[in-house]
């Protein structure tokens, strides 16, 4: 029994699968961006080389800073991302889950941001603390919209907070994206993912040309590798989560349905890459205004529609 | 809220070059900005007093890395005025075409810097790619990609190669065909508008008072262009317009740059049409080692891609200049206007304002 869970956590769909697949998707992102920008782009193994290289580098600690928080923050973030991806992955591939896992997932995703804020503010670097402040503001602005988005499938599935029950509901009653509330929530959800993954136009906390990587400025070596790996893993589970919540997951009944499931995932990834490549970065105040004035009310409308049954 | 001092230094990724700004910030607001030039002080002006008239060419180029061509032009114009040299007609046209090409290349570089700063790598890399096409033209014409040393007192170093005009037209057409794409993804992007509008705003009075030139003053609605006011080379031979914008913010400056680029391309087409097909491209000058220019002083100015560029040059009758002084656009843009425009803005907009003003650090430290 315990070996089964360890297998889920460490091999499939946990650490090994998600990190390797995440790096591959990260390569797709870089390659597609490069082709859009008239560049050649990196070779296939570039992300693997980068992570491997970072493991061999030394960790430079900031003098007179709380080392403990600085070191523990990327590990906590990595652990939370790992557990989230295991939960999403088991629900997606094996139709397994624990009770109330959706709440757990929301909680773990906040833990990642909190760890980033803690790690960044422990260094005492001005740029780092500006980045931490921005991350905090971004978290406060996108979180409400994201939770409202997640509420929509919960309400559709009859107030069930389990991923499997949402999947089961969709098997019987059709995909949630087919309803009016579903499609609105799905679109807002993609934008929230963009902000959660700190991709352009919401790469505000780590804007290189403004605050030089901001939150990650003091990180180096294996600790930076943890952050980078966590980010690559997000490429996998974030779109998968949307597929589960709105698009009926994947079915292994026939080859066609497997391909359909993969295509759903790829479509979300491609939309995210396209948004990233066709927009400039916004300022943090614009992002807050956008999420509180447009995205959250839109998600709220979706929730109301869902309650009304649309 | 606590006041912090933020050093926006020369190693900063959003910095334009060897230049830094010390910012006093309160939260995200900038209270006070102090520009610190001097990281690249090589003493260009002093060094030029120790080199002969012709030897100075490799040096003037280095004053503006992005666009060395107008530096060559202004120095040649200064020497010509001192030595009373006339430039042949075809040489004048070639100079104009060459300088407009340089303007297009430089503006594309500016567009790269600006959109890169906004985290918008797509438009940035497009601009860099298209600038490379312009550099290919320069390479064919002069043998060098960045520092061409093509303009010389009396004209230009050599004539256009066979079929070069067609090549220019072809390259510019292929770049111009991408303008709708640039518009759709960048200039008409709502997020860019949101990001750049009302940022780094200067009024026309402030602009005049603080010595703004080039696109910075044209973005406030003033038709100020040396090519019109005091035509040199062949700029008075063709019809063209000075594009202006109202607003005086980063958004208007960027759009002014785009309009100027398009106007330059049209101007190149007209210049190529009107250019005399045959004739000398330079007037012969004496042996550079024995060339002595009669005593006197001259002030010349031209319109570089950053704005009005001036040169004060004095000769004491020797084989070297007695004194050389440049009036560079980045000096006023990078010191007075930047400091003023940064006040009250957010930290996120430092690069936004700086690059929209087009500051090139070596121009300040010449």
């Amino acid at each position: 029994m315990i070996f089964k869970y360890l297998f889920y956590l460490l091999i499939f769909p946990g650490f090994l699968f998600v990190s390797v697949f995440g790096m591959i998707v990260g390569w797709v992102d870089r390659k597609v961006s490069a082709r859009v920008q008239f560049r050649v782009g990196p070779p296939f193994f570039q992300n693997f080389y980068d992570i491997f290289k970072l493991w061999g580098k030394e960790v430079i600690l900031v003098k007179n800073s709380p080392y403990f928080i600085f070191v523990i923050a990327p590990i906590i973030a990595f652990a939370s991302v790992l557990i989230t991806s295991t939960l999403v992955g088991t629900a997606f591939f094996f139709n397994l889950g624990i009770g109330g896992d959706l709440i757990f997932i929301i909680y773990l995703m906040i833990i990642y941001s909190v760890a980033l804020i803690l790690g960044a503010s422990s260094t005492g670097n001005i740029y780092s603390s500006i980045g931490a402040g921005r991350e905090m503001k971004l978290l406060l602005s996108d979180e409400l919209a994201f939770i409202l988005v997640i509420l929509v499938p919960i309400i559709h599935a009859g107030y069930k907070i389990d991923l499997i029950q949402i999947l089961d509901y969709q098997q019987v009653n059709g995909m949630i994206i087919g309803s009016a509330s579903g499609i609105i929530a799905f679109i807002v959800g993609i934008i929230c993912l963009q902000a959660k993954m700190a991709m352009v136009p919401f790469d505000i906390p780590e804007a290189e040309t403004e605050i030089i990587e901001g939150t990650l400025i003091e990180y180096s070596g294996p600790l930076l590798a943890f952050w980078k790996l966590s980010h690559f893993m997000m490429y996998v589970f974030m779109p998968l989560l949307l597929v589960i919540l709105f698009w009926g997951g994947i079915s292994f009944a026939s080859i066609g349905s497997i391909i359909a499931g993969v295509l759903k995932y790829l479509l979300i990834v491609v939309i995210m890459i396209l948004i990233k490549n066709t927009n400039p970065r916004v300022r943090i105040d614009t992002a807050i205004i956008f999420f509180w004035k447009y995205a959250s009310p839109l998600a709220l409308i979706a929730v109301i529609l869902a309650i009304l049954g649309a | 809220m606590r006041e912090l001092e933020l050093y926006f230094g020369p190693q900063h990724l959003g910095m334009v070059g060897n230049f830094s700004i010390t910012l006093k910030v309160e939260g995200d607001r900038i209270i006070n900005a102090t520009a610190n030039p001097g990281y690249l002080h090589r003493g260009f002006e002093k060094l030029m007093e120790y080199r002969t008239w012709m030897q100075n060419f490799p040096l003037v180029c280095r004053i503006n890395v992005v666009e060395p061509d107008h530096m060559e032009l202004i120095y040649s114009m200064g020497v010509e005025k001192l030595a009373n040299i006339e430039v042949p007609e075809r040489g004048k046209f070639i100079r104009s075409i060459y300088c407009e090409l340089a303007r297009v290349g430089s503006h594309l570089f500016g567009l790269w810097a600006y959109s890169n700063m906004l985290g918008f790598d797509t438009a940035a890399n497009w601009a860099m790619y298209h600038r490379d096409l312009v550099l290919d033209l320069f390479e064919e014409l002069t043998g060098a990609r960045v520092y061409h040393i093509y303009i010389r007192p009396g004209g230009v170093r050599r004539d256009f190669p066979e079929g070069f005009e067609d090549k220019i037209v072809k390259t510019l057409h292929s770049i111009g065909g991408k303008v709708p794409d640039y518009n759709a993804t960048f200039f008409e992007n709502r997020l860019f508008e949101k990001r750049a509008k009302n940022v780094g705003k200067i009024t026309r009075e402030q602009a005049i008072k603080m010595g703004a030139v080039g696109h910075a003053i044209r973005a406030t609605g003033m038709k100020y262009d040396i090519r019109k006011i005091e035509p040199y080379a062949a700029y008075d031979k063709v019809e063209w317009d000075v594009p202006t914008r109202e607003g005086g913010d980063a958004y208007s400056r960027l759009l002014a740059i785009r309009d100027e680029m398009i106007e330059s391309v049209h101007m190149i087409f007209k210049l190529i049409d009107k250019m005399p097909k045959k004739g000398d491209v330079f007037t012969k000058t004496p042996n550079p080692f024995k060339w002595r220019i009669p005593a006197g002083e001259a002030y010349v100015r031209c319109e570089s891609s950053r704005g009005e560029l001036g040169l004060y040059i004095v000769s004491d009758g020797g084989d070297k200049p007695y004194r050389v002084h440049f009036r560079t656009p980045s000096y006023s843009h990078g010191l007075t206007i930047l400091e003023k425009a940064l006040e009250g803005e957010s930290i996120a907009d430092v690069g936004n304002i700086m690059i929209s003003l087009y500051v090139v650090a070596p121009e300040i430290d010449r």
Side-chain angles (χ1 to χ4, degrees), chain B residues 44-46 48-49 63 74-75 298-300 309-314 321-328 331 364 366:
Chain B
F44 288 112
E45 287 172 359
K46 194 72 190 163
M48 286 168 79
E49 293 167 17
I63 297 177
I74 191 89
Y75 181 73
Y299 184 77
V300 281
L309 180 64
L311 168 71
Y312 176 64
I313 186 164
V314 184
Y322 176 74
R323 175 81 170 101
V324 183
H325 178 76
F326 287 99
R327 185 260 178 245
T328 47
Y331 191 82
I364 306 174
R366 78 264 156 196

Side-chain angles (χ1 to χ4, degrees), chain B residues 29 53 66 76 80 101 108 119 145 166 168 178 184 192 205 222 239 251 269 274 285 292 307 325 346 351 353 362:
Chain B
R29 294 282 132 202
W53 298 101
V66 183
S76 301
E80 280 156 16
L101 270 180
L108 283 170
R145 288 176 78 79
D166 299 335
I168 294 177
K178 269 282 178 183
F192 160 63
E205 287 71 41
M222 195 166 157
E239 286 290 309
Y251 181 70
F269 292 158
K274 275 210 165 176
T285 49
R292 292 180 180 275
H325 178 76
S346 108
I353 296 166

Side-chain angles (χ1 to χ4, degrees), chain B residues 185-197:
Chain B
T185 52
F186 186 68
F187 291 110
E188 282 159 18
N189 192 319
R190 290 254 327 267
L191 289 180
F192 160 63
E193 210 178 306
K194 249 204 170 103
R195 188 69 206 267
K197 251 194 180 151

Side-chain angles (χ1 to χ4, degrees), chain B residues 73-226:
Chain B
L73 176 75
I74 191 89
Y75 181 73
S76 301
M77 279 163 66
V79 174
E80 280 156 16
K81 198 167 176 186
L82 277 179
N84 260 327
I85 303 172
E86 265 299 309
V87 182
E89 195 69 6
R90 187 171 161 87
K92 279 184 179 171
F93 273 91
I94 291 181
R95 271 187 181 186
S96 274
I97 294 170
Y98 172 78
C99 284
E100 289 316 299
L101 270 180
R103 192 182 313 277
V104 172
S106 164
H107 280 336
L108 283 170
F109 189 86
L111 194 58
W112 166 78
Y114 189 82
S115 34
N116 181 47
M117 188 279 312
L118 282 189
F120 190 19
D121 290 336
T122 307
N125 283 309
W126 287 358
M128 212 44 166
Y129 173 78
H130 287 136
R131 176 180 142 89
D132 242 51
L133 297 182
V134 177
L135 293 191
D136 284 345
L137 287 178
F138 280 137
E139 193 176 13
E140 185 177 344
L141 178 62
T142 67
R145 288 176 78 79
V146 180
Y147 300 120
H148 315 119
I149 317 183
Y150 180 63
I151 296 179
R152 45 162 287 173
V156 293
R157 193 145 54 92
R158 64 166 85 111
D159 204 346
F160 278 170
E162 192 95 346
F164 190 67
E165 290 92 332
D166 299 335
K167 228 169 228 170
I168 294 177
V169 171
K170 213 174 136 198
T171 307
L172 291 181
H173 271 304
S174 78
I175 297 174
K178 269 282 178 183
V179 170
D181 288 358
Y182 277 109
N183 284 343
T185 52
F186 186 68
F187 291 110
E188 282 159 18
N189 192 319
R190 290 254 327 267
L191 289 180
F192 160 63
E193 210 178 306
K194 249 204 170 103
R195 188 69 206 267
K197 251 194 180 151
N198 291 324
V199 166
K201 207 174 160 96
I202 45 169
T203 61
R204 192 190 292 193
E205 287 71 41
Q206 281 173 331
I208 295 169
K209 203 174 142 198
M210 293 187 291
V213 285
H215 68 291
I217 200 158
R218 289 195 286 272
T220 63
M222 195 166 157
K223 281 207 176 201
Y224 184 80
D225 196 314
I226 303 298

